[in-house]
Amino acid sequence: MEESPHIISAIPLFNGLPEDQLRDLTQIAVDRQFKKGQIIFSEGDEADGFYVVVQGLVKIFKLSVEGKEQILHIFESGEPFGEVPVFTGQHFPAHAEAIAKSRLFFFPRDAFTDLIEQNPSLALNMLGMLSKRLRQFTVKVEHLSLKEVPGRLADYLLNLADEKGGESPVDLKISKQQLASLLGTIPETLSRILTRMTKQGLIQVDGPRIKIMDREGLEELATAGKPLS
């Protein structure tokens, strides 16, 4: 993994660490490849380490007794996942699956905690990342409980545009079925909402590409959380 130090230094979790600590991280990182659809870990598995996405997409999801899937989060390049149960000594509370061909770095729990004991700055970075993750899940719970599906979708599209510096169109990185699960709805409902948004001149849809036509209207829908007229 000759390029690993460069990759690790670019991961937000490890931003600002000195070269010697980056080298230590490189030595314990395990480079793993996953095919699209391959399970990374299952709910209840021992949390013996955490992962960072180098390339690809990973979904974290739960399954109901009836087998219905609810996507909790989708992680992209540079994002860690599975770290909370690792540091609480618990098992993984959900499933993780690669939804695209993915390359991950796996950091074994024991080796990583040894590094933290030696390098307090690494612990501070980890706390910062966990705090950010907590805020993200707080917002998600708020959206699922207080907003109708159109408001959740509007918010999601605006966030995609903001990631591109406010540019439009945006490209969906996941399937519409996966997006429906992420938003807490079903594909049929999502399709109807996309159609209604299009008719109202808020967006234009061309396959996975969505152009925001009326950002102000979309922002109002996302903020108010009201159903479409």
Side-chain angles (χ1 to χ4, degrees):
M1 296 194 300
E2 293 182 0
E3 82 279 29
S4 294
H6 173 70
I7 294 174
I8 288 177
S9 66
I11 294 172
L13 178 61
F14 306 132
N15 276 352
L17 295 180
E19 289 188 10
D20 60 330
Q21 293 183 27
L22 292 173
R23 285 196 298 270
D24 290 339
L25 287 166
T26 301
Q27 291 176 359
I28 69 169
V30 181
D31 197 341
R32 294 185 175 178
Q33 309 281 340
F34 291 86
K35 299 177 182 179
K36 180 180 179 180
Q38 187 174 354
I39 294 294
I40 300 164
F41 57 74
S42 297
E43 181 176 353
D45 286 352
E46 180 184 357
D48 57 350
F50 72 96
Y51 297 81
V52 175
V53 182
V54 178
Q55 293 175 329
L57 291 171
V58 172
K59 70 176 179 181
I60 305 297
F61 65 100
K62 299 274 285 186
L63 290 174
S64 69
V65 177
E66 297 81 15
K68 181 181 178 182
E69 177 182 289
Q70 171 64 59
I71 296 179
L72 304 177
H73 200 84
I74 291 179
F75 293 101
E76 304 179 38
S77 177
E79 295 187 293
F81 65 95
E83 68 275 29
V84 174
V86 167
F87 294 102
T88 56
Q90 299 176 351
H91 295 81
F92 289 120
H95 307 275
E97 178 186 325
I99 56 176
K101 182 180 179 181
S102 300
R103 179 186 181 189
L104 312 177
F105 280 169
F106 173 73
F107 294 89
R109 176 186 178 186
D110 292 342
F112 191 78
T113 52
D114 285 345
L115 288 184
I116 284 183
E117 291 177 0
Q118 301 168 25
N119 307 301
S121 56
L122 184 55
L124 291 175
N125 278 26
M126 179 64 73
L127 284 172
M129 181 62 70
L130 292 178
S131 297
K132 179 181 179 182
R133 187 68 45 76
L134 180 60
R135 288 195 299 272
Q136 290 173 339
F137 277 107
T138 300
V139 170
K140 182 175 179 63
V141 170
E142 178 185 344
H143 286 181
L144 289 175
S145 59
L146 300 179
K147 289 186 178 181
E148 298 290 340
V149 178
R152 299 176 213 163
L153 177 57
D155 190 67
Y156 180 83
L157 294 176
L158 290 169
N159 285 334
L160 282 184
D162 289 343
E163 288 176 4
K164 296 179 60 178
E167 295 181 6
S168 177
V170 297
D171 293 312
L172 296 179
K173 302 174 184 177
I174 57 178
S175 70
K176 290 179 181 176
Q177 181 175 355
Q178 291 165 342
L179 177 57
S181 177
L182 184 64
L183 297 176
T185 188
I186 59 176
E188 292 79 7
T189 299
L190 177 64
S191 293
R192 287 196 295 269
I193 292 171
L194 287 169
T195 299
R196 288 158 65 190
M197 283 184 170
T198 300
K199 289 181 178 178
Q200 291 189 20
L202 297 173
I203 60 174
Q204 282 185 353
V205 181
D206 182 14
R209 176 161 290 187
I210 298 178
K211 185 175 182 180
I212 296 175
M213 306 300 294
D214 180 1
R215 184 180 177 94
E216 184 176 336
L218 212 57
E219 288 174 344
E220 182 179 350
L221 184 62
T223 302
K226 61 183 179 181
L228 281 168
S229 57

